[in-house]
Amino acid sequence: MTNGEFYALDNLLKDEKLNSLNKILDVINTTDRLGILDVIKGILEDENTIGKIIGSLTSDDVLELLASWDKIIKTTKLFINDDNIYNIQFLINLIDKVRSRGILDPIIGLLEDEESLGKIINSLINDFTLSLINHWDEITNDLSRIDLTNFKYYTLLVSATGEALKTENVKPITSIWEIYKLLKDPDIQRGLGVAASVLKHIGKLYVPDRGLAFEAEKNSKT
């Protein structure tokens, strides 16, 4: 034997090396007993399979995965947090309920329809909606002063006004005599009474030289 071979043998027979060698032999013996060694041997003898394994390990996806390993670990830690696990389960249950009720499919269809989605975005993001958001506190403050117990009267007034403004219902008045005739109509008489009542309530709010808005603002502060 050469000097190099004697040196290698002497190095291998050291106690710490023999201990490591015994552990390796134990691992080999265990894998052989479990049948794993035969599987590995079979794979190594199959050039086609070993080629696929090597190709997979050196693919762009695997290399990209290894390059992003730190990010993957951080993301994984998020999923093992108890609060996050609860939130994920809640989200999954919510999606399941939305889907089971047939709500999710229309939403997905809408997201895939670029034209419809663009119309919705444009309707939500425009000068009017931005102005609405900027004045939202003022609007809600003013709306809070509306007596909702009278809401049915508001709808009746709007409906009646819309009916009166229809082109086919409007008849031009060309003389004072026609006004005189109209005053005999009971509906017009009641309508004038309603208009007079509205004007009276507006007059109570109106302050000369300061206008209606001043009184409304003063009432909102009291």
Side-chain angles (χ1 to χ4, degrees):
M1 298 179 64
T2 64
N3 290 334
E5 291 172 337
F6 275 116
Y7 174 78
L9 182 60
D10 182 63
N11 188 39
L12 183 63
L13 293 176
K14 290 181 179 180
D15 290 340
E16 64 273 13
K17 297 295 177 64
L18 287 174
N19 186 40
S20 298
L21 182 60
N22 286 330
K23 290 181 180 179
I24 294 173
L25 292 174
D26 288 339
V27 171
I28 294 174
N29 182 57
T30 301
T31 53
D32 187 31
R33 180 168 48 83
L34 295 174
I36 299 174
L37 204 59
D38 292 334
V39 175
I40 296 174
K41 183 174 180 296
I43 292 174
L44 293 175
E45 291 176 349
D46 187 344
E47 295 183 0
N48 186 36
T49 302
I50 196 67
K52 289 180 180 179
I53 294 174
I54 294 174
S56 299
L57 293 175
T58 57
S59 65
D60 293 339
D61 292 337
V62 173
L63 294 176
E64 184 177 353
L65 185 67
L66 293 175
S68 306
W69 189 251
D70 291 340
K71 296 180 181 178
I72 294 172
I73 295 297
K74 291 179 180 179
T75 305
T76 304
K77 289 181 178 179
L78 293 176
F79 285 100
I80 61 177
N81 179 279
D82 290 340
D83 291 336
N84 290 339
I85 290 175
Y86 173 80
N87 292 334
I88 293 171
Q89 290 174 340
F90 176 81
L91 183 61
I92 292 174
N93 290 333
L94 178 63
I95 294 174
D96 184 58
K97 290 180 179 179
V98 171
R99 185 173 184 177
S100 64
R101 285 164 175 75
I103 301 174
L104 193 59
D105 290 337
I107 295 176
I108 294 175
L110 183 62
L111 293 175
E112 292 177 347
D113 187 344
E114 295 183 2
E115 183 178 354
S116 299
L117 186 61
K119 290 180 180 179
I120 293 175
I121 294 175
N122 290 334
S123 65
L124 293 175
I125 305 175
N126 53 52
D127 293 340
F128 173 77
T129 54
L130 293 177
S131 177
L132 187 67
I133 293 172
N134 290 333
H135 298 86
W136 185 251
D137 291 339
E138 300 172 24
I139 294 171
T140 54
N141 183 52
D142 291 337
L143 289 176
S144 66
R145 295 197 296 271
I146 296 178
D147 186 356
L148 295 179
T149 59
N150 294 326
F151 188 76
K152 61 180 180 180
Y153 303 116
Y154 306 148
T155 57
L156 288 173
L157 177 61
V158 172
S159 178
T161 303
E163 188 66 27
L165 291 176
K166 288 182 179 179
T167 305
E168 60 270 21
N169 291 340
V170 177
K171 296 180 180 179
I173 298 174
T174 57
S175 68
I176 194 171
W177 298 108
E178 291 183 3
I179 297 176
Y180 177 73
K181 291 178 181 179
L182 289 173
L183 290 175
K184 294 181 179 181
D185 188 324
D187 291 335
I188 291 181
Q189 292 173 1
R190 286 191 294 271
L192 288 173
V194 172
S197 178
V198 171
L199 290 173
K200 182 176 180 179
H201 283 81
I202 292 175
K204 290 180 180 180
L205 296 175
Y206 182 79
V207 178
D209 301 328
R210 293 187 177 181
L212 181 64
F214 167 78
E215 189 67 19
E217 182 177 356
K218 185 182 75 173
N219 290 340
S220 67
K221 294 179 180 179
T222 58

